[in-house]
C-alpha cells in the first residue's frame, strides 16, 4: 500500500517520505546521484550531443521545403544572376530556402555549421579518450561505438553536402564516382548502382536524401543511445587524485548540479550555432551555380573532415597497372580506399592491441592516464594528427601555391616528403618530450618548488631555496614515484584500494 505522507509533530523535524505512487527515490535514486567529472575535457562529448540535436531540429525544418529531385527546371527566383538558367529541382529548392523562405538561410547555415561542429566534437572527444587511455577495459565496446559514430558522421556529412546539387558538391560526387570506379572488377557495378545510370544520372540525389534523413540519422541516434547507456552503466573515467580510486567515482551529482551545468552548455551551443548561422556565411551555393558535368569550380575544397582524402588523392603519383586488359588506378585506389580503410582498422583494433602488448587486458581501468605517462601512445597519436594535418594542407595545395606564389610541383613534392618524414619526427620528439616532462616533474616533487631566494652554503657555494609543492594539475602525482612506478611502457603495480561504492 502507498506510504503515508510525512507529518511533523511538536518539536519534531519535518521528514519527507518516498511516495509509493512514483518510486523515483527507490528506483532512480542512484541514477540521480550519479557522479559526473568536472574537468572541461569531459564536455566534448556533450557538445557533440547538442550539435546532433541542432542537426535534427534544423534538418526536420529543412525537409519541409527541400525537393530531392534531379528534373530540370528554369530558375525564376529573386537571385537575378541565375534567372532563366536551367537548374535541377534540388538546386532550385535550395535557392528557394535561402532567398524566399523566412529564416531559411539561417536554418541552412545553422545546419551546416552544426554538422561541422558535430564531426569536430566527435573527433576531439575520441582524441581525449585516446590520449587518456579511457578506451581500456571495460570500455572497449564504447570506443568501437564512438569510432563507428565518427564514420557515420563522415558519411552523413558527405550526403548532406551533396544534396544541393551545386557545382561544388557535384564536383565532390564526380570524385566519389571516380573512387568507385577504381575498385577492381566491381567498380563499374557500384557506380551504376549508386547513380542509376551513367554519371550523373537521375537517382543519386533522391538516394542520398533517403540516406541523409532516414537511414544514417537512425543509425546515429541508435548508437548514441547505446553509447549513453554504457556511459551510465560503466561510470565515467576520472583523473587520479587523493580520493579517487578504481572503485569510486567523484564529481558533481547528476541532479541538480550536472543537469544545471549541462543545460547551460546546451544553451551556449545553441546560441553559438545561431550566431554563426546568422553572421558567418557558409556554403553559398548561388555563388557556385548549378552542377554541370563539363565544368568544375576553381579553388574547390570539400568540408574539412574529408579534406585529408582530397589531399591524399593529390599527393599520390599517377601510378597505374594494366592487368589482362584492365587498368588498376593505384593513384585513386590507395589514397581513397586503402588509406581510410587502414585508418579505421587501426582505430578499431588499437585498444585490444595496446592492452595485449602492455599486459593490461585483464584489469579494469577507471583512472585517466596523463598523456606524458604514456610516451609511446602519445607519440603515436601526435604522429597521426601530424599526418592528418599534412594531408589536409595538401587538399588545398593549389590555393596555398597561388597565395604564396610558389611552384605547385615544388609544394607537392615537399608535402610528399613531409608525409613520410614528419610523422616519424613528431613521434620521436613527442616521446622525448614526455620523458623530459616526467623527469622534470619527478625532480620538482623531490626538491620542491624554487622560492627565488639564494643563500650561500658553508662551503662557499650558492643554492636556491625550495619549498614543498602545493599546486597540482589533475592526475599529477602528489609524491615522488619509485623507479618501478615511474615506468611508462608497462603497467605499474597498484596499491590496495579502500572499499568504496562502485558507482
Amino acid at each position: 500500500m502507498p506510504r503515508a505522507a510525512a507529518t511533523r509533530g511538536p518539536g519534531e523535524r519535518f521528514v519527507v517520505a518516498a511516495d509509493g505512487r512514483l518510486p523515483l527515490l527507490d528506483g532512480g535514486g542512484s541514477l540521480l546521484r550519479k557522479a559526473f567529472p568536472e574537468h572541461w575535457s569531459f564536455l566534448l562529448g556533450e557538445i557533440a550531443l547538442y550539435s546532433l540535436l541542432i542537426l535534427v531540429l534544423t534538418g526536420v525544418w529543412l525537409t519541409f521545403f527541400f525537393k530531392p529531385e534531379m528534373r530540370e527546371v528554369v530558375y525564376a527566383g529573386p537571385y537575378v544572376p541565375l534567372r532563366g538558367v536551367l537548374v535541377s529541382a534540388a538546386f532550385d529548392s535550395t535557392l528557394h530556402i535561402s532567398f524566399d523562405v523566412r529564416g531559411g538561410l539561417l536554418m541552412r547555415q545553422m545546419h551546416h555549421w552544426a554538422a561541422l561542429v558535430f564531426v569536430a566534437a566527435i573527433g576531439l572527444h575520441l582524441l581525449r579518450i585516446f590520449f587518456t587511455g579511457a578506451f581500456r577495459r571495460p570500455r572497449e565496446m564504447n570506443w568501437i561505438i564512438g569510432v563507428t559514430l565518427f564514420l557515420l558522421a563522415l558519411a552523413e556529412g558527405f550526403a548532406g553536402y551533396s544534396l544541393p546539387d551545386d557545382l561544388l558538391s557535384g564536383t565532390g560526387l564526380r570524385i566519389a564516382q571516380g573512387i568507385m570506379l577504381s575498385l577492381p572488377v566491381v567498380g563499374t557495378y557500384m557506380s551504376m548502382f549508386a547513380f542509376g545510370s551513367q554519371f550523373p544520372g537521375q537517382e543519386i540525389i533522391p538516394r542520398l536524401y533517403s540516406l541523409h534523413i532516414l537511414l544514417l540519422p537512425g543509425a546515429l541516434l541508435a548508437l548514441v543511445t547505446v553509447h549513453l547507456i554504457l556511459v551510465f552503466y560503466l561510470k565515467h573515467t576520472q583523473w587520479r587524485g587523493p580520493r579517487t580510486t578504481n572503485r569510486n567515482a567523484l564529481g558533481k551529482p547528476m541532479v541538480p548540479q550536472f543537469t544545471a551545468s549541462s543545460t547551460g552548455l546546451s544553451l551556449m551551443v545553441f546560441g553559438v550555432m545561431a550566431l554563426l548561422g546568422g553572421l558567418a556565411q557558409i556554403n553559398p551555393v548561388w555563388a557556385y551555380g548549378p552542377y554541370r558535368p563539363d565544368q568544375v569550380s576553381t579553388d574547390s575544397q570539400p568540408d574539412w573532415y574529408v579534406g585529408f582524402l582530397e589531399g591524399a588523392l593529390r599527393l599520390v603519383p599517377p601510378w597505374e597497372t594494366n592487368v589482362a586488359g584492365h587498368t588498376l588506378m593505384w593513384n585513386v585506389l590507395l589514397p581513397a580506399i586503402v588509406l581510410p580503410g587502414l585508418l579505421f582498422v587501426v582505430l578499431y583494433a588499437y585498444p585490444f592491441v595496446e592492452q595485449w602488448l602492455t599486459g593490461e587486458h585483464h584489469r579494469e581501468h577507471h583512472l585517466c592516464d596523463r598523456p606524458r605517462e604514456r610516451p609511446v601512445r602519445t607519440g603515436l597519436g601526435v604522429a597521426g594528427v601530424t599526418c592528418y594535418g599534412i594531408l589536409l594542407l595538401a587538399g588545398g595545395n593549389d590555393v596555398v601555391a597561388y597565395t604564396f606564389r610558389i611552384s605547385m610541383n615544388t609544394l607537392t613534392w615537399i608535402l610528399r616528403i613531409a608525409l613520410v618524414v614528419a610523422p616519424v619526427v613528431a613521434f620521436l620528439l613527442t616521446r622525448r618530450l614526455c620523458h623530459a616532462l616526467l623527469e622534470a616533474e619527478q625532480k620538482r616533487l623531490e626538491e620542491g618548488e624554487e622560492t627565488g631566494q639564494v643563500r650561500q652554503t658553508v662551503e662557499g657555494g650558492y643554492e636556491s631555496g625550495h619549498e614543498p609543492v602545493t599546486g597540482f594539475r589533475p592526475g599529477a602525482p602528489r609524491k615522488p614515484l619509485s623507479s618501478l612506478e615511474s615506468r611508462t611502457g608497462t603497467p605499474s603495480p597498484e596499491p590496495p584500494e579502500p572499499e568504496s561504492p562502485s558507482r
Side-chain angles (χ1 to χ4, degrees):
M1 52 187 299
R3 299 180 184 177
T7 58
R8 180 175 60 179
E12 296 179 352
R13 293 183 178 180
F14 186 79
V15 180
V16 179
D19 193 338
R21 293 169 296 180
L22 294 174
L24 297 178
L25 295 179
D26 292 343
S30 59
L31 178 63
L32 298 179
R33 293 190 301 270
K34 178 178 174 58
F36 284 81
E38 302 182 20
H39 195 263
W40 65 267
S41 63
F42 293 90
L43 301 178
L44 295 171
E46 294 181 48
I47 293 176
L49 179 62
Y50 297 134
S51 300
L52 177 61
L53 180 59
I54 296 174
L55 283 171
V56 171
L57 295 176
T58 56
V60 169
W61 190 91
L62 291 172
T63 57
F64 295 142
F65 306 97
F66 182 73
K67 297 178 181 179
E69 303 173 8
M70 295 289 286
R71 61 182 176 86
E72 292 185 322
V73 299
V74 177
Y75 179 70
Y79 187 66
V80 177
L82 288 178
R83 280 185 185 172
V85 176
L86 206 61
V87 301
S88 67
F91 186 78
D92 181 73
S93 65
T94 304
L95 294 183
H96 174 70
I97 293 172
S98 302
F99 297 118
D100 298 321
V101 178
R102 187 180 297 274
L105 183 59
L106 174 65
M107 288 295 178
R108 268 197 63 234
Q109 297 200 146
M110 282 185 64
H111 191 74
H112 202 125
W113 277 115
L116 298 181
V117 172
F118 176 59
V119 180
I122 292 179
L124 292 175
H125 185 56
L126 286 174
L127 286 177
R128 197 275 300 175
I129 292 174
F130 177 83
F131 283 115
T132 61
F135 52 77
R136 295 172 296 178
R137 183 178 179 180
R139 297 176 179 83
E140 299 97 336
M141 186 54 64
N142 240 1
W143 169 264
I144 291 176
I145 292 175
V147 174
T148 305
L149 283 171
F150 186 65
L151 180 60
L152 290 176
L154 296 181
E156 175 77 337
F158 178 77
Y161 169 85
S162 305
L163 289 180
D165 196 35
D166 60 283
L167 188 56
L168 185 60
S169 65
T171 303
L173 283 175
R174 186 61 162 172
I175 295 174
Q177 191 232 8
I179 294 173
M180 295 178 193
L181 292 176
S182 70
L183 290 170
V185 182
V186 299
T188 53
Y189 298 98
M190 290 189 62
S191 176
M192 291 293 290
F193 173 78
F195 292 92
S197 63
Q198 293 293 333
F199 180 87
Q202 297 290 320
E203 304 295 333
I204 186 63
I205 295 300
R207 290 174 178 177
L208 286 176
Y209 185 69
S210 299
L211 286 173
H212 186 67
I213 71 167
L214 182 62
L215 299 179
L216 292 176
L220 281 169
L221 292 175
L223 286 179
V224 166
T225 302
V226 176
H227 179 73
L228 292 177
I229 291 174
L230 288 178
V231 167
F232 271 79
Y233 176 74
L234 297 173
K235 80 177 184 178
H236 282 82
T237 53
Q238 57 188 343
W239 294 106
R240 292 185 180 89
R243 296 181 299 161
T244 57
T245 70
N246 265 324
R247 299 184 180 182
N248 67 0
L250 299 182
K252 50 189 176 184
M254 180 177 177
V255 177
Q257 285 91 337
F258 173 76
T259 302
S261 61
S262 187
T263 302
L265 178 63
S266 69
L267 296 176
M268 291 175 62
V269 173
F270 271 76
V272 171
M273 292 301 104
L275 286 175
L276 288 174
L279 301 177
Q281 186 183 76
I282 190 170
N283 199 28
V285 295
W286 55 89
Y288 308 139
Y291 178 64
R292 292 288 180 267
D294 59 338
Q295 298 178 10
V296 61
S297 58
T298 57
D299 298 343
S300 59
Q301 309 292 329
D303 283 334
W304 69 268
Y305 47 84
V306 290
F308 76 101
L309 286 178
E310 177 79 9
L313 286 168
R314 297 188 183 193
L315 288 187
V316 175
W319 295 332
E320 294 181 356
T321 302
N322 292 318
V323 180
H326 298 277
T327 301
L328 293 178
M329 300 183 297
W330 300 110
N331 56 326
V332 179
L333 183 64
L334 289 177
I337 301 295
V338 177
L339 174 64
L342 288 176
L343 169 64
F344 280 96
V345 167
V346 170
L347 289 177
Y348 280 120
Y350 186 86
F352 307 98
V353 174
E354 182 190 283
Q355 291 183 106
W356 177 69
L357 291 176
T358 59
E360 296 178 322
H361 58 279
H362 62 285
R363 288 167 42 189
E364 289 193 358
H365 298 270
H366 302 288
L367 299 178
C368 293
D369 289 330
R370 292 182 302 157
R372 68 182 65 179
E373 296 171 346
R374 298 285 179 158
V376 174
R377 179 203 297 155
T378 304
L380 291 174
V382 173
V385 173
T386 302
C387 182
Y388 172 83
I390 294 172
L391 291 177
L392 185 62
L393 181 63
N397 59 354
D398 54 339
V399 179
V400 175
Y402 176 79
T403 302
F404 294 97
R405 300 293 191 273
I406 59 179
S407 168
M408 178 79 165
N409 187 58
T410 301
L411 177 62
T412 300
W413 274 104
I414 291 175
L415 292 175
R416 285 173 178 171
I417 297 172
L419 184 63
V420 177
V421 176
V424 177
V425 174
F427 171 79
L428 296 176
L429 289 178
T430 302
R431 187 179 63 172
R432 182 67 193 105
L433 178 61
C434 290
H435 285 293
L437 289 173
L438 289 173
E439 293 171 3
E441 184 177 66
Q442 184 81 351
K443 182 178 179 181
R444 176 171 170 264
L445 291 173
E446 292 174 352
E447 300 180 357
E449 293 181 316
E450 294 186 2
T451 61
Q453 299 177 349
V454 179
R455 58 178 178 269
Q456 190 174 17
T457 63
V458 177
E459 294 81 6
Y462 294 91
E463 63 180 16
S464 59
H466 293 79
E467 60 183 8
V469 179
T470 56
F472 300 94
R473 293 178 179 270
R478 263 57 177 179
K479 59 181 181 179
L481 302 178
S482 66
S483 59
L484 182 61
E485 293 174 327
S486 63
R487 292 185 301 168
T488 56
T490 56
S492 10
E494 295 183 354
E497 299 171 348
E499 292 291 337
S500 57
S502 60
R503 291 183 180 89

